[in-house]
Amino acid sequence: MKAYLEGSQAIAKVVALCRPGVISAYPITPQTHIPETLAQMVAEGELKAEFVNVESEHSAASCCLGASATGVRAYTSTSSQGLLYMLEVLFNIAGLRLPLVLTCANRAVSAPINIWNDYQDAITLRDSGWIQFYAETIQEAVDLHIQGYRLSEDIRVLLPVMVNVDGYILTHGYEVVDIPEQELVDKFLPPYQLKYKLDPDNPLTLGVLAGPDYYMETRFAIQKTMEDVLEIIPEISGEFFEVFARKSGGLIEGYFLKDAEKVIVAMGSVCGTIKEAIDGLRDKKEKVGLLKIITYRPFPEEEIYQALKNAREIAVLEKAISLGGFGPLYTEIKSVFQGKKENPKISGFVIGLGGRDITKDSIRSVSDRLSGKQVDCEFIDLNLKGEHKDNLLGGSGVASQFIEQE
Amino acid sequence: MEKFFLKEVRIHARAGQGAITTASLLGEALFAEGKFAYAFPHFGAARMGAPMNAFVRVSDKPIRLRSQVYEPDYLLIIDPTLIMGFDVFKGFKEGGIAIINSEEEISLLGLKKNQKAFFVPANKIAQELMGRPLGNMAILGAFSGITGLVKIDSLMEAIKRRFSGKVAQQNLEIAKRGYAYLITK
């Protein structure tokens, strides 16, 4: 049913439709309304699940690890510092090959303290063995959670899935969302069944010591599975379309790619802003297109190559940076063309860190710069003069105004 | 490309004054009228009393643009003390309409000739009907009355869906009073 919902509420509703048995979360900043809404649903008997309030994100992740290991579908959400605090447990969940879906409401990482949106939190987890999706809209976020559980629990996969949803922009934004019927979700997502699980009647041990004789093979196994996942994601996205009559998910999405000479590569909600900017540029006969990466891990190298091979100039736009190196996505997009006959000019742009607003002008300036010389790591909308375009928080904001008045 | 309908609303308030509720109710009412609306907040310190914005972008097609609103067609000033500290009229569109929560007319230096400002004693209305000076609902009602962008009935329905019991009743009364205020004036 279509409803007008806040992103966090919509995600909570769809997580409930996925029938998790255990939900665990740490309830303070940087948290969202997702666990709050779920906690209320559990308290009111609307959702039959155990809500475990814990003292930290580390414990929330551990709780979900335990639940999943006993064969119970689990859920948690966090962001920023919370995600980093979960980090060692998250590596364990992937290493143990435990299915789980986690929502990361993407936010910047301290210091300085910043609660606003960027991807530094999730990108830090890119090497952990988690599958990573990035949602453009609240609807896509909702759909990716259903697909996420299905994928994660697939016997061919058994890896955790992180659904990345832009903090504030999507988690605190309201828009029209189609929340699917329970029957359809049940049809698409069968009950969670784990073949090897922690069970007192059939004792077994998970995650035992694997010395130099075995450890490497476990990593190899995950790497091979990730390759398979690149095949399984389109399959699941296709089945999702059959059941819900809505195209959602998959590896990548193109916008005006066919004849595009310039292509912007990006992930998440900024893709909407880019599409708007592209419409304007297309009106001026500029052949610009967008490649949206939905699945960042595993990295869909071949699909990206096919989508970009006719482009002459490529701009990779990302809300994260590997400090001292480059934007992580930029590095990978460049590697796609290593050894290929095509040799497009690829530039890397860092944008929107710590919630710096990304406007159509920001996108246009990237598109303009593409015709200039190649850059590896250029910051967009950087302001070293102290003037800000923000409506309230910048140059016309609290501190400077009061200083001026005095 | 063919022109389509797009209007942008910027709300100036302090955290705790119901700006997000205002934005989301407006968005929901517009959704009920078959339009697409993206309502979203932008916090400063994200603490009670800190200045913040909320925005509503409305169109007859799905909203893809995720940036803040820099050139609003409409301004809703829930807290008039913000006019002193901030340039709330920054980027205000030609022909724009501002609705300001104030019992008295405030002289507005930032306003251009073809822009209009309406003053609504929203806090007073709320104080009278609810016992709390929460002016956002009266402003929302006045917005419907002045601009006609959203029907008052759609707003009423959205309020009924959001609140229940006495709170719903009070908010409905407040919104109605705000709606009628300038029409009767």
Side-chain angles (χ1 to χ4, degrees), chain A residues 22-337:
Chain A
V22 166
I23 301 161
S24 187
Y26 183 56
I28 68 164
T29 304
Q31 198 45 278
T32 61
H33 300 140
I34 303 170
E36 186 183 317
T37 310
L38 284 167
Q40 194 164 356
M41 291 169 93
V42 172
E44 287 171 358
E46 202 181 314
L47 169 63
K48 286 193 176 49
E50 186 138 354
F51 192 99
V52 189
N53 237 323
V54 285
E55 73 287 358
S56 75
E57 287 86 357
H58 190 281
S59 300
S62 302
C63 195
C64 289
L65 182 157
S68 185
T70 57
V72 175
R73 186 174 288 157
Y75 174 78
T76 189
S77 76
T78 187
S79 37
S80 181
Q81 309 305 119
L83 189 79
L84 297 195
Y85 195 23
M86 284 184 176
L87 190 134
E88 64 161 339
V89 185
L90 298 184
F91 271 76
N92 270 294
I93 291 168
L96 289 168
R97 306 301 300 262
L98 292 173
L100 182 68
V101 170
L102 176 151
T103 313
C104 181
N106 304 100
R107 299 197 200 184
V109 171
S110 300
I113 295 173
N114 178 295
I115 57 169
W116 293 270
N117 167 246
D118 74 26
Y119 286 158
Q120 202 66 50
D121 52 4
I123 291 295
T124 306
L125 264 291
R126 66 170 190 180
D127 303 335
S128 61
W130 281 64
I131 292 160
Q132 285 196 350
F133 289 136
Y134 288 79
E136 179 191 336
T137 63
I138 298 174
Q139 185 70 62
E140 195 172 32
V142 160
D143 297 344
L144 285 173
H145 280 81
I146 308 172
Q147 294 185 30
Y149 273 112
R150 174 72 189 276
L151 177 70
S152 181
E153 294 168 8
D154 190 305
I155 187 74
R156 298 166 294 174
V157 179
L158 300 180
L159 283 173
V161 172
M162 183 184 300
V163 182
N164 290 286
V165 185
D166 282 296
Y168 288 109
I169 298 167
L170 297 181
T171 58
H172 292 58
Y174 286 74
E175 59 190 20
V176 181
V177 196
D178 192 352
I179 299 288
E181 300 297 324
Q182 182 71 64
E183 282 168 42
L184 292 183
V185 177
D186 289 345
K187 190 176 159 196
F188 181 78
L189 181 64
Y192 176 37
Q193 274 173 335
L194 194 60
K195 201 172 174 190
Y196 301 103
K197 61 182 177 187
L198 295 181
D199 176 2
D201 294 334
N202 296 293
L204 63 86
T205 304
L206 295 175
V208 286
L209 181 77
D213 292 349
Y214 292 105
Y215 182 86
M216 205 158 153
E217 284 69 24
T218 68
R219 298 282 115 178
F220 175 73
I222 294 177
Q223 182 67 5
K224 289 313 265 183
T225 299
M226 283 289 194
E227 285 172 20
D228 298 341
V229 169
L230 289 173
E231 312 273 324
I232 299 168
I233 286 174
E235 177 191 313
I236 285 179
S237 166
E239 273 185 53
F240 183 90
F241 178 72
E242 277 169 32
V243 175
F244 299 93
R246 180 167 58 242
K247 269 194 182 161
S248 218
L251 300 171
I252 57 168
E253 181 196 304
Y255 188 72
F256 280 108
L257 273 187
K258 228 175 207 171
D259 63 340
E261 290 166 0
K262 291 182 192 178
V263 177
I264 298 171
V265 183
M267 308 197 288
S269 70
V270 74
C271 291
T273 305
I274 295 171
K275 287 172 183 174
E276 282 293 320
I278 286 176
D279 284 359
L281 292 165
R282 284 269 165 183
D283 286 347
K284 294 179 198 155
K285 309 280 180 241
E286 286 192 47
K287 289 186 175 169
V288 186
L290 163 73
L291 174 67
K292 173 174 113 179
I293 311 277
I294 304 167
T295 305
Y296 175 61
R297 281 293 178 272
F299 190 68
E301 187 183 11
E302 180 57 25
E303 287 73 12
I304 292 172
Y305 169 67
Q306 291 302 335
L308 291 179
K309 66 179 183 187
N310 297 324
R312 290 215 304 261
E313 291 162 336
I314 297 167
V316 183
L317 230 69
E318 54 192 316
K319 296 180 181 178
I321 179 165
S322 172
L323 291 168
F326 311 100
L329 183 60
Y330 165 69
T331 313
E332 288 179 275
I333 297 290
K334 265 180 94 171
S335 77
V336 167
F337 286 93

Side-chain angles (χ1 to χ4, degrees), chain B residues 63-89:
Chain B
I63 310 275
R64 299 181 300 187
L65 182 63
R66 301 287 179 184
S67 69
Q68 294 175 30
V69 170
Y70 295 95
E71 294 177 355
D73 298 276
Y74 304 107
L75 279 170
L76 305 183
I77 317 289
I78 308 281
D79 191 325
T81 64
L82 294 168
I83 297 172
M84 292 187 295
F86 302 96
D87 183 6
V88 296
F89 299 107

Side-chain angles (χ1 to χ4, degrees), chain B residues 20-49:
Chain B
I20 299 173
T21 307
T22 309
S24 63
L25 283 173
L26 179 55
E28 188 171 340
L30 288 162
F31 157 63
E33 291 180 13
K35 296 197 174 71
F36 291 92
Y38 172 49
F40 57 109
H42 179 58
F43 295 104
R47 291 290 176 267
M48 281 280 214

Side-chain angles (χ1 to χ4, degrees), chain B:
Chain B
M1 184 158 290
E2 77 184 89
K3 268 284 172 202
F4 60 92
F5 166 78
L6 175 74
K7 294 284 179 200
E8 294 181 308
V9 184
R10 186 169 72 202
I11 302 171
H12 292 263
R14 292 179 188 278
Q17 292 178 330
I20 299 173
T21 307
T22 309
S24 63
L25 283 173
L26 179 55
E28 188 171 340
L30 288 162
F31 157 63
E33 291 180 13
K35 296 197 174 71
F36 291 92
Y38 172 49
F40 57 109
H42 179 58
F43 295 104
R47 291 290 176 267
M48 281 280 214
M52 54 86 66
N53 289 128
F55 310 98
V56 185
R57 186 171 279 132
V58 53
S59 176
D60 46 16
K61 61 172 205 174
I63 310 275
R64 299 181 300 187
L65 182 63
R66 301 287 179 184
S67 69
Q68 294 175 30
V69 170
Y70 295 95
E71 294 177 355
D73 298 276
Y74 304 107
L75 279 170
L76 305 183
I77 317 289
I78 308 281
D79 191 325
T81 64
L82 294 168
I83 297 172
M84 292 187 295
F86 302 96
D87 183 6
V88 296
F89 299 107
K90 200 173 173 185
F92 194 27
K93 277 238 180 80
E94 296 280 325
I97 293 175
I99 301 172
I100 300 164
N101 179 3
S102 174
E103 286 182 43
E104 291 150 24
E105 289 205 9
I106 306 169
S107 68
L108 303 167
L109 300 172
L111 211 62
K112 287 181 200 141
K113 263 191 183 152
N114 62 353
Q115 296 167 334
K116 280 189 188 139
F118 296 90
F119 298 90
V120 179
N123 277 8
K124 196 179 161 199
I125 293 173
Q127 183 71 41
E128 239 177 77
L129 296 173
M130 182 164 61
R132 288 171 71 197
L134 268 176
N136 60 329
M137 287 296 163
I139 294 287
L140 199 47
F143 177 76
S144 166
I146 295 161
T147 67
L149 183 75
V150 66
K151 294 190 184 78
I152 187 70
D153 293 345
S154 322
L155 278 180
M156 294 289 168
E157 289 306 313
I159 291 171
K160 278 187 222 163
R161 277 193 296 272
R162 183 70 56 92
F163 304 102
S164 58
K166 195 177 156 195
V167 180
Q169 213 46 52
Q170 286 170 337
N171 278 308
L172 287 170
E173 284 305 316
I174 295 168
K176 256 190 249 173
R177 186 82 72 84
Y179 175 76
Y181 179 77
L182 288 164
I183 293 175
T184 52
K185 198 177 166 187

